[in-house]
Amino acid sequence: MSVPKPLLAALQGQSIRPTPLWLMRQAGRYLPEYRQLRERAGGFLDLCLTPDLAAEATLQPIRRFGFDGAILFSDILIIAKALGRALVFRDGDGPSLPPLAAVDGLAMQPDASVLAPVYAAVRKVKASLSTVTTLLGFAGGPWTVAAYVIDGSGRTQFTKARALASENPAALEAIITRLSDATAAHLIAQLDAGADAVQIFDSWAGLLPPEQFRRFVIAPTQRIVAAIHARHPRAPIIGFPRNAGALYEAYFVETGVNALCIDQNVPLTQAHALQARGPVQGNLDPTVLVAGGAALDRAVADILATLGQRPFVFNLGHGILPETPLAHVERLVRLVRGGP
Ligand code: CP3
């Protein structure tokens, strides 16, 4: 019997062959059709918040490569905008916001009019997606979103947010709690609109020492997971506490996420051990995909040989890089699907 949605089945704990595949940031500047759409939209935020355009960006990599998962085209900082932070994206410079000092700089509730186009985009994608492709929603982990919101950009290595974690942890916790409530509601609304599963991107989790990691990453994620599962008990949640190293296992066990996404710094022996706890997703180095050739062939073979027997989803260890050649992505898809 063929599996209707191979990626969804893998996230629910089945061992699926060939291994399901999608790539973080699979809609993006490495695609000529994305660059064209981006030009047409004007700004990056216009692209995110215009349902027709966001749906089109979501579908572009599916049409070209036939990935098993379509991830909603949006951004983790849209939730900050909905909570009243003035968010801008400058070309080639990433996100920028006025730095936040305390929780009273965040609205109590997200502005529904900011988020409505996101859910409209989910419904549009769902309506035009084939029945075998899994639709993924997402949000940022509250620590990572807090880090951008407090520092105002990623340029400062989040020194203000990290200092707040030591100097006034209660103030950081208040910010993270408000972001967590908004994030849980945002993910539930994406599932209500038709997403099959969701991923929580905690890209900067690895900056925190263990005790702070437990308080500002594991504890709030556990609450988000519980809130989602109360409404959508069967919807898989993928957690990605990037660069968590030795703390990945505690995160996997204690948060209750259904699947764990790992970065490329996780040794395959550790990744294999983590599969005892549930499905794992990852972890090809994005620079190896840029390099291609024998290095790519070898890295893909190693990952599949070590992780491919148990519940597994092939992905990168972080987002695809803009300079990635299309031919290397095509080769990757053939390798994972078991072609020559
Ligand atoms: O995966 C996908 O294809 C879905 C879309 C997606 C985007 N951002 C689109 C995007 C997702 C899942 C994200 C998540 C995101 N956004 C994260 C977590 C993952 C990670 O990369 O660590 C973070 C930290 C952000 C915040 C953000 N957005 C940054 C730091 C930047 C600038 C970096 C860059 O590549 O320019 C963005 C912009 C952004 N988000 C782009 C895309 C396609 C590039 C914008 C453009 O078109 O110019």
Side-chain angles (χ1 to χ4, degrees):
M1 201 184 82
S2 72
V3 178
K5 291 188 178 179
L7 170 57
L8 185 60
L11 295 174
Q12 288 168 337
Q14 295 182 47
S15 300
I16 303 293
R17 300 282 200 91
T19 298
L21 160 79
W22 68 281
L23 302 180
M24 290 187 274
R25 290 278 188 96
Q26 65 192 17
R29 287 165 294 187
Y30 76 108
L31 289 177
E33 59 270 34
Y34 171 83
R35 296 195 295 268
Q36 226 180 1
L37 187 68
R38 172 87 162 66
E39 199 115 316
R40 184 142 71 82
F44 171 70
L45 276 178
D46 298 310
L47 187 47
C48 289
L49 296 174
T50 309
D52 281 335
L53 300 180
E56 172 60 20
T58 305
L59 292 167
Q60 283 178 341
I62 309 305
R63 279 190 212 115
R64 187 183 272 270
F65 300 114
F67 294 129
D68 296 286
I71 182 157
L72 168 69
F73 189 84
S74 185
D75 196 82
I76 64 164
L77 295 173
I78 298 292
I79 199 72
K81 183 175 168 62
L83 289 168
R85 307 310 293 170
L87 171 67
V88 294
F89 281 87
R90 292 196 195 88
D91 271 347
D93 198 27
S96 170
L97 323 92
L100 174 83
V103 68
D104 59 10
L106 292 174
M108 296 290 287
Q109 302 283 341
D111 179 345
S113 71
V114 173
L115 299 177
V118 176
Y119 312 133
V122 174
R123 287 190 294 270
K124 274 186 190 293
V125 174
K126 185 75 170 189
S128 46
L129 213 53
S130 90
T131 53
V132 298
T133 312
T134 299
L135 177 53
L136 301 166
F138 74 91
W143 155 250
T144 292
V145 175
Y148 281 101
V149 166
I150 292 166
D151 276 70
S153 81
R155 283 185 296 272
T156 55
Q157 299 184 336
F158 310 109
T159 45
K160 284 185 204 159
R162 292 155 75 189
L164 192 62
S166 304
E167 286 162 14
N168 194 347
L172 178 59
E173 192 161 61
I175 292 169
I176 284 190
T177 299
R178 185 148 320 164
L179 288 172
S180 298
D181 292 346
T183 299
H186 187 42
L187 290 171
I188 289 167
Q190 292 175 50
L191 290 163
D192 290 345
D196 297 303
V198 293
Q199 176 154 327
I200 300 172
F201 287 85
D202 223 337
S203 304
W204 300 106
L207 292 175
L208 294 174
E211 202 184 308
Q212 293 178 357
F213 183 93
R214 288 178 189 280
R215 183 163 177 185
F216 300 123
V217 174
I218 292 181
T221 303
Q222 194 275 330
R223 285 200 303 274
I224 292 169
V225 168
I228 295 170
H229 280 158
R231 292 283 296 276
H232 290 275
R234 291 185 45 77
I237 302 169
I238 309 163
F240 182 36
R242 192 169 70 91
N243 284 339
L247 293 164
Y248 269 116
E249 183 170 23
Y251 175 97
F252 202 1
V253 173
E254 292 170 29
T255 61
V257 294
N258 303 84
L260 186 71
C261 181
I262 56 173
D263 66 84
Q264 66 270 16
N265 300 322
V266 177
L268 291 181
T269 47
Q270 185 192 350
H272 183 260
L274 286 165
Q275 281 182 311
R277 303 288 187 181
V280 162
Q281 169 179 286
N283 72 341
L284 181 71
D285 184 339
T287 62
V288 172
L289 189 57
V290 174
L296 174 62
D297 289 11
R298 204 177 327 112
V300 173
D302 283 350
I303 290 171
L304 289 174
T306 313
L307 304 176
Q309 316 298 316
R310 298 210 260 181
F312 180 55
V313 174
F314 200 99
N315 207 312
L316 300 172
H318 197 193
I320 190 168
L321 295 164
E323 59 268 39
T324 307
L326 295 172
H328 296 181
V329 182
E330 287 161 7
R331 171 124 192 109
L332 173 65
V333 173
R334 278 201 302 277
L335 290 169
V336 174
R337 298 255 161 90

